[in-house]
Amino acid sequence: MAFALWRKQIKCPNCQYEGKAQIKGSGCGLWLVFLVLFSISFLFWPLFIVAGIMFLWLLLKPADQICPKCKYVNPIPK
Ligand SMILES: [Zn+2]
């Protein structure tokens, strides 16, 4: 659920798969943490700064594109 919702064309050096990458859905939990942090920051304002930094970080960090066949984490983009 991170910033990159599109899937790259990749070539896997591990199993020779060629085609669309699979996006590793590891960002969802972090967005949940962010939402909780954001809610609490209404009660304790300095948390707004932390929530703001975390929001930017979540938005800018690239999503992990992995091989759908063997789950190899570093496939070569085409
Ligand atoms: Zn593979």
Side-chain angles (χ1 to χ4, degrees), residues 10-17 66-72 75:
I10 53 122
K11 186 181 193 321
C12 179
N14 193 38
C15 68
Q16 309 307 314
Y17 166 86
I66 61 165
C67 170
K69 261 178 93 179
C70 67
K71 312 294 179 201
Y72 187 72

Side-chain angles (χ1 to χ4, degrees), residues 10-67:
I10 53 122
K11 186 181 193 321
C12 179
N14 193 38
C15 68
Q16 309 307 314
Y17 166 86
E18 270 189 67
K20 276 197 171 12
Q22 185 189 326
I23 295 185
K24 213 169 134 194
S26 60
C28 294
L30 285 168
W31 278 103
L32 215 68
V33 172
F34 166 71
L35 279 176
V36 172
L37 208 70
F38 188 71
S39 311
I40 302 168
S41 61
F42 282 104
L43 304 168
F44 185 63
W45 70 265
L47 274 178
F48 264 122
I49 301 159
V50 182
I53 292 166
M54 194 179 174
F55 178 72
L56 277 175
W57 175 69
L58 281 173
L59 211 65
L60 296 175
K61 89 182 169 75
D64 285 335
Q65 310 248 351
I66 61 165
C67 170

Side-chain angles (χ1 to χ4, degrees), residues 8-11 18-19 76-78:
K8 283 184 213 158
Q9 290 286 331
I10 53 122
K11 186 181 193 321
E18 270 189 67
I76 304 157
K78 286 180 76 179

